[in-house]
Amino acid sequence: LVNFKDGQWVNPRIVPYGPIELMPGAICLHYGQTIFEGAKAFMHDDGELYAFRIDKNAERMNVSADLICMEQIPVELQVEGIMRLLDVDRKWCPTMPESSMYIRPFMFATEDALGVRPSSEYIYCCILSPSGPYYAGGFNHGVRLLITDKYHRAVTGGTGASKTAGNYTASMRPGLIAKKCGASQVLYLDASNTYIEEAGAMNHFHITKDKTVVIPEFNDSILRSITSVSMIELLPSLGFKVRQERININDFVAQIKSGDIIEAGGFGTAAVVSPVNEYIFDDGTIIKVGDGKIGENTRKIYEAY
Ligand SMILES: *Cc1c(COP(=O)(O)O)cnc(C)c1O
């Protein structure tokens, strides 16, 4: 825990997991000034814990803070706090393959004030949670996404590029509606229903038959996934071309039907790669990607990552 008070970050400390005291007027409870991060640390063969690109998460924390007018917190302070916490809890890190220590830093507005304005006080906090392999039964099933023009998680000029609670609030109802269609998530389109944005809380990607991995161009309604950024750096060494561009939903659907797009999925820390094998539309129509099974390229990317 670290407090921001009187213009300074003060009193960094590690305490046992337990309740946090808040005033009922705390701004986070009323106006949603709260942000978070998600990262993983892995136990290596040398018996040491390694956090995957945690500096990128710390930097993005400040991007998120800036977008919703919260105080930034020095990257070095975040990283040092997380490292010390990992050190305290190191024995809880699972060691089986593909398991990790999940890292959840977050920050929320604590000033006791009912006016709608940015808080002058904050708490930065980080908790950990041991987590087993995401694909416990093996990497062998794809998911269905709902393509809808009725619901959006973020709009241009809004807060979509911030990892703030409100974006998740906005995605809950669409998420439930997707489940009713047998889909795991919504493939969010931009508010004009023209371009592909995100696959639930993951960036979306697709692979064309000439082995190009295509990710929607980052904009202010797409979260800049560290998994995507890392994939963009990694994939050329695996023989893939990588491109970010605006992807028109009609072109996308046409290319799935023509077989020019052979695989698709989502990128994010929790699953790393989540293969998509079909899309369902509002009217119940379903289209399959490739042969509906996890493609060899998706598998290769997942394993290399
Ligand atoms: C966290 C998140 C992602 C994935 O980002 P990673 O850094 O790869 O974990 C993608 N989209 C949204 C909306 C997110 O909140």
Side-chain angles (χ1 to χ4, degrees):
L1 288 159
V2 194
N3 293 77
F4 185 83
K5 219 177 161 84
D6 302 325
Q8 288 184 67
W9 286 102
V10 293
N11 196 17
R13 61 210 183 271
I14 291 175
V15 298
Y17 192 88
I20 295 176
E21 263 197 3
L22 268 186
M23 293 306 277
I27 284 178
C28 65
L29 298 175
H30 302 265
Y31 311 123
Q33 253 197 324
T34 168
I35 54 178
F36 67 95
E37 272 302 323
K40 286 175 175 171
F42 299 89
M43 185 62 80
H44 285 211
D45 291 340
D46 64 1
E48 193 49 89
L49 266 170
Y50 291 79
F52 182 77
R53 308 196 88 172
I54 195 71
D55 53 322
K56 302 280 177 207
N57 292 91
E59 286 165 12
R60 191 172 63 187
M61 187 75 151
N62 284 336
V63 171
S64 293
D66 202 39
L67 285 170
I68 63 163
C69 305
M70 293 173 74
E71 201 58 39
Q72 296 198 350
I73 172 166
V75 166
E76 313 78 63
L77 179 57
Q78 294 182 59
V79 172
E80 187 181 348
I82 293 166
M83 290 300 159
R84 291 204 188 192
L85 181 62
L86 283 169
D87 197 30
V88 168
D89 279 340
R90 59 167 58 238
K91 291 219 169 86
W92 292 99
C93 184
T95 52
M96 66 195 289
E98 295 182 53
S99 63
S100 62
M101 185 70 107
Y102 183 74
I103 304 168
R104 168 54 62 88
F106 56 107
M107 195 211 294
F108 50 96
T110 53
E111 188 186 344
D112 186 20
L114 284 177
V116 182
R117 59 167 171 76
S119 175
S120 63
E121 296 175 2
Y122 296 92
I123 290 179
Y124 171 88
C125 186
C126 181
I127 55 178
L128 305 175
S129 179
S131 61
Y134 188 88
Y135 294 105
F139 187 67
N140 48 28
H141 62 279
V143 299
R144 175 191 285 178
L145 294 181
L146 169 66
I147 298 180
T148 174
D149 56 16
K150 295 196 182 74
Y151 308 100
H152 300 93
R153 71 171 275 284
V155 295
T156 184
T159 58
S162 169
K163 223 168 163 69
T164 184
N167 296 333
Y168 281 77
T169 312
S171 71
M172 284 190 189
R173 192 165 65 111
L176 286 181
I177 288 162
K179 299 254 158 32
K180 285 194 185 134
C181 306
S184 70
Q185 261 304 342
V186 173
L187 176 65
Y188 288 106
L189 305 179
D190 76 315
S192 73
N193 294 314
T194 313
Y195 300 105
I196 292 179
E197 299 230 300
E198 298 210 61
M202 304 184 90
N203 280 178
H204 187 265
F205 73 90
H206 66 259
I207 307 177
T208 58
K209 65 182 179 197
D210 71 345
K211 286 190 140 211
T212 304
V213 177
V214 188
I215 301 170
E217 200 170 82
F218 294 140
N219 61 30
D220 69 350
S221 47
I222 295 178
L223 201 277
R224 189 178 276 262
S225 153
I226 294 163
T227 312
S228 291
V229 170
S230 304
M231 286 292 184
I232 291 164
E233 292 164 19
L234 172 73
L235 292 178
S237 69
L238 301 176
F240 291 95
K241 283 168 276 186
V242 196
R243 202 165 67 216
Q244 281 195 286
E245 64 186 22
R246 287 205 302 186
I247 301 157
N248 183 294
I249 183 65
N250 295 327
D251 296 346
F252 175 73
V253 171
Q255 285 180 55
I256 287 180
K257 288 181 175 162
S258 70
D260 288 312
I261 289 174
I262 53 174
E263 297 171 38
F267 289 144
T269 294
V272 178
V273 178
S274 177
V276 174
N277 57 12
E278 54 188 32
Y279 296 86
I280 184 167
F281 296 86
D282 285 320
D283 67 1
T285 316
I286 291 172
I287 53 168
K288 267 199 188 340
V289 187
D291 61 5
K293 301 214 177 70
I294 296 183
E296 55 175 343
N297 297 300
T298 302
R299 189 175 297 279
K300 184 172 167 187
I301 287 171
Y302 174 72
E303 279 163 9
Y305 192 92

